[in-house]
Amino acid sequence: MSNAYEGTYYGERAIWLRFGPYEAALLPEVGGNLVAFRDAENGYRYLREPEADEMEAFKQRPMVHGIPVLFPPNRYEDGNFPWNGQTYKLPVTEPGRNNHIHGFFYNIPWQVDDYGADDGSSYVVVAQRVDESHPAFAYFPHKFTIKIRYSLSKDGLTQETGVRNDGLQPMPCTLGFHTTVNAPFAPGSTPADCSFRMTVGERIELNGRMLPTGRLSPLDADEEKMRGAGTTPYFTSLDNHYTAVPQGGRNVMELTDTRLNVRLVYEAGSAYKFWMIYNGGGQGGFFCPEPQTGMVNAPSAPFSAEETGLVSLAPGEVWQETSRMYGESC
């Protein structure tokens, strides 16, 4: 069965997708957030979904449910974003550390460009079009379009993301997703049944303001397990930043339910050069493997431009990447 339709999710407008065992829901008015990705046949809920009594809190802080869009991602020191001889002043949205955090698009409405279904897939396309009339333009003075296409098929959930520079000057492009995964995702399983691995490289040392110091740290024994045979997502309180080092050509996070011998595979495209990992203090229940194209505080980080991954888009140029999420048996 393949279907795409407009409905609701606990009172919020939602675009629902269905294909075979999979279903997904996207909330256009709440950051274009794809809040649900499920295997309905097995009862698996791969993403952390806001429940009915959490909707108001979710709308106030949509960061730890679903797949929030981060543009620009993570933190910027004092709200400063130096670029091309200018310094853009982003609002300080993390006052305790005097940083801007997470960009402009995770909590505002997105335009639904299209949705539909055929024998091979169901899909929805959402977009942000920034010009002088868009609220983000005051802080980030570029004309550009972000477009995301989510589709369900036999291959699972595919996310195709594109950023086009619609202006006359080069623009910085740095993007990420605060993907929030249930661990466990299967009913009847516990956090003790969960093991995960990720294609991380080195840890980027962060200071007390959660900004890069300019140093890279070797992985400790638990982090080595994280990129090797696997470990619990809750081995410690995690709010860490890593380089991404693909293995076998794949930039991937795999979450295994060892009780059921099934896993969730999250393949981020190779253009995502960094990972953040956040687990809510290690209390169990969810964690966030967050792919990012650029380093935290990229334009001001004490690394070279090549090391920070900050991309410059020429006028008319398009950046694009594809990620995928699916379940499989071990």
Side-chain angles (χ1 to χ4, degrees):
M1 181 185 71
S2 178
N3 195 14
Y5 62 95
E6 186 168 330
T8 59
Y9 180 97
Y10 294 131
E12 283 292 324
R13 178 188 176 213
I15 306 299
W16 284 91
L17 306 179
R18 290 197 165 86
F19 186 92
Y22 292 123
E23 64 182 16
L26 181 141
L27 305 185
E29 270 68 59
V30 191
N33 192 332
L34 189 120
V35 292
F37 172 48
R38 307 167 179 167
D39 178 333
E41 288 184 1
N42 290 299
Y44 302 159
R45 296 195 173 197
Y46 295 120
L47 297 176
R48 185 176 186 238
E49 304 176 21
E51 300 297 336
D53 61 353
E54 298 174 315
M55 287 301 292
E56 288 308 311
F58 160 67
K59 285 186 280 188
Q60 293 299 314
R61 186 175 180 261
M63 207 48 61
V64 288
H65 294 89
I67 309 181
V69 184
L70 311 181
F71 187 103
N74 218 279
R75 293 173 172 88
Y76 298 86
E77 184 176 6
D78 303 325
N80 291 331
F81 195 108
W83 173 253
N84 209 19
Q86 304 176 65
T87 297
Y88 304 153
K89 296 297 294 184
L90 313 185
V92 172
T93 49
E94 190 183 41
R97 297 188 174 113
N98 203 48
N99 297 324
H100 173 82
I101 187 169
H102 293 329
F104 313 113
F105 303 114
Y106 65 87
N107 60 353
I108 66 172
W110 285 60
Q111 179 178 328
V112 178
D113 278 5
D114 190 19
Y115 63 89
D118 56 29
D119 290 343
S121 68
S122 58
Y123 68 90
V124 59
V125 181
V126 293
Q128 288 283 344
R129 293 175 173 85
V130 177
D131 59 19
E132 293 90 343
S133 67
H134 194 287
F137 191 88
Y139 308 111
F140 197 82
H142 292 276
K143 296 180 181 180
F144 63 103
T145 300
I146 306 176
K147 190 173 286 192
I148 303 176
R149 185 183 193 271
Y150 286 106
S151 58
L152 290 182
S153 71
K154 62 180 178 58
D155 298 321
L157 174 70
T158 299
Q159 178 200 61
E160 299 166 272
T161 305
V163 181
R164 184 184 66 225
N165 181 358
D166 299 321
L168 301 178
Q169 301 295 326
M171 68 167 279
C173 178
T174 178
L175 174 81
F177 294 92
H178 208 291
T179 308
T180 306
V181 173
N182 273 330
F185 55 79
S189 294
T190 70
D193 298 315
C194 296
S195 177
F196 88 116
R197 59 182 302 275
M198 288 179 67
T199 52
V200 298
E202 295 175 287
R203 177 155 38 92
I204 299 165
E205 185 181 86
L206 303 177
N207 63 21
R209 294 176 63 186
M210 297 298 290
L211 303 171
T213 65
R215 291 187 290 271
L216 299 175
S217 301
L219 304 185
D220 65 23
D222 284 310
E223 291 172 314
E224 287 286 358
K225 293 177 186 176
M226 186 170 68
R227 73 171 179 182
T231 187
T232 170
Y234 311 114
F235 65 84
T236 190
S237 176
L238 289 169
D239 197 354
N240 293 356
H241 195 25
Y242 300 91
T243 59
V245 179
Q247 297 176 9
R250 300 167 75 221
N251 192 28
V252 67
M253 186 284 298
E254 296 176 340
L255 172 63
T256 300
D257 185 313
T258 57
R259 180 180 72 91
L260 298 174
N261 288 320
V262 294
R263 69 166 63 99
L264 169 67
V265 181
Y266 182 25
E267 294 180 348
S270 59
Y272 298 102
K273 306 292 187 183
F274 303 90
W275 291 99
M276 283 293 299
I277 308 177
Y278 173 72
N279 67 1
Q283 300 303 304
F286 77 92
F287 74 106
C288 303
E290 307 169 36
Q292 296 182 189
T293 63
M295 186 182 287
V296 170
N297 202 31
S300 302
F303 291 91
S304 70
E306 182 177 352
E307 289 173 309
T308 63
L310 187 59
V311 172
S312 177
L313 287 187
E317 188 176 0
V318 176
W319 175 94
Q320 53 192 355
E321 186 55 283
T322 299
S323 299
R324 186 162 71 105
M325 192 177 287
Y326 57 93
E328 66 177 13
S329 299
C330 299

